[in-house]
Amino acid sequence: MRRTSRLRTTLLALSVALAAAVTAAAPAGAAPAPAPAPAAANVGPVVVYLTGIGGGPQNIAAAAAYDHLGRQAADAGFAGSQCRVTEGPLFTYVTGNYYQAMIKATCSGEPAVTAPTRSLNRLIGPNGEHISTVWNVPPGYQVEGSLGQLYTSPREGTVPLYHCVVRKDNFLSGDVNCEGQTYVSRLGWFYPGQPAGVGTAPLMRCMVGKHREFFESNQTNCEGQASGGQLGWIFTG
């Protein structure tokens, strides 16, 4: 019972320290992240779902998972006050005194802008499903490559690009209402029409397989798969 009590006390302290961990991991010279504020009526909010993972004895594994979580949040530009733990620590016994800890958190609001663009990466999951995002790589996914750069703030001629879900299938849209489907997050800004004097590539909505699983591509022929139309143009530098 004493060991359990000490572990609970340790985990409580680690949970309280998440905000400090995020702040400490913030990039040097970055402007302090503003408190969450309502987004403009026609611009959806940023919402990022993070998973922290760590290994070792239970208290060490939990501390490592919180640290991993804090570094991800800071990389995305979020202050600790903008993040909340939604699940965990959950422990998986490995061997001896070694455990793997997992903690899930949600960060929301306006992240601090530390760079003019973020790479829109196309990810592939363990079952071949795709996600295109500028945010973290979920566990089990791998980066297939970059589709280009999204601006982190509005530029002339740009509109927001959003991550949406339909029937657990991820897709991108320039519609804040996600075309009647489920909203996930704002990713950045892109061009709905091809701009003059700016390096861009087409951003296509594509579909593959009998279930028409969505993915995004720079190729107008959708890499030999079915086309769902062109979303717009993405900055390439």
Side-chain angles (χ1 to χ4, degrees):
M1 293 297 292
R2 291 179 180 175
R3 181 179 178 182
T4 302
S5 178
R6 287 198 300 270
L7 179 59
R8 288 176 177 171
T9 301
T10 301
L11 296 181
L12 178 60
L14 288 168
S15 181
V16 172
L18 176 60
V22 173
T23 302
N42 62 338
V43 177
V46 174
V47 183
V48 179
Y49 301 93
L50 304 175
T51 300
I53 297 175
Q58 281 191 315
N59 60 329
I60 300 300
Y66 274 107
D67 180 67
H68 183 213
L69 194 68
R71 285 186 279 109
Q72 290 180 79
D75 286 345
F78 285 100
S81 60
Q82 294 174 282
C83 302
R84 63 183 180 87
V85 173
T86 57
E87 187 176 358
L90 302 178
F91 295 98
T92 300
Y93 176 73
V94 181
T95 183
N97 194 32
Y98 192 91
Y99 293 80
Q100 184 178 72
M102 181 182 72
I103 304 170
K104 294 185 177 182
T106 300
C107 299
S108 59
E110 288 298 317
V113 174
T114 59
T117 63
R118 283 184 177 270
S119 177
L120 178 64
N121 294 321
R122 191 172 82 185
L123 317 179
I124 187 167
N127 298 313
E129 68 276 22
H130 291 88
I131 297 176
S132 294
T133 184
V134 300
W135 305 118
N136 58 299
V137 178
Y141 282 77
Q142 295 180 338
V143 177
E144 283 195 311
S146 175
L147 296 167
Q149 302 287 318
L150 295 180
Y151 295 112
T152 53
S153 58
R155 299 290 182 93
E156 183 178 357
T158 63
V159 297
L161 183 65
Y162 300 103
H163 178 185
C164 309
V165 170
V166 56
R167 299 185 304 276
K168 297 183 179 180
D169 191 6
N170 298 276
F171 70 99
L172 302 187
S173 177
D175 178 17
V176 68
N177 297 309
C178 283
E179 303 168 39
Q181 305 305 321
T182 302
Y183 182 99
V184 178
S185 183
R186 187 182 78 233
L187 300 177
W189 279 261
F190 77 131
Y191 295 98
Q194 188 172 21
V198 178
T200 57
L203 185 62
M204 305 295 298
R205 175 184 290 171
C206 306
M207 298 171 287
V208 63
K210 64 180 181 180
H211 298 298
R212 289 296 203 246
E213 189 257 334
F214 288 115
F215 70 99
E216 286 72 39
S217 177
N218 296 130
Q219 298 184 22
T220 55
N221 70 349
C222 280
E223 303 170 35
Q225 304 301 324
S227 174
Q230 186 167 347
L231 294 167
W233 301 84
I234 189 166
F235 177 65
T236 57

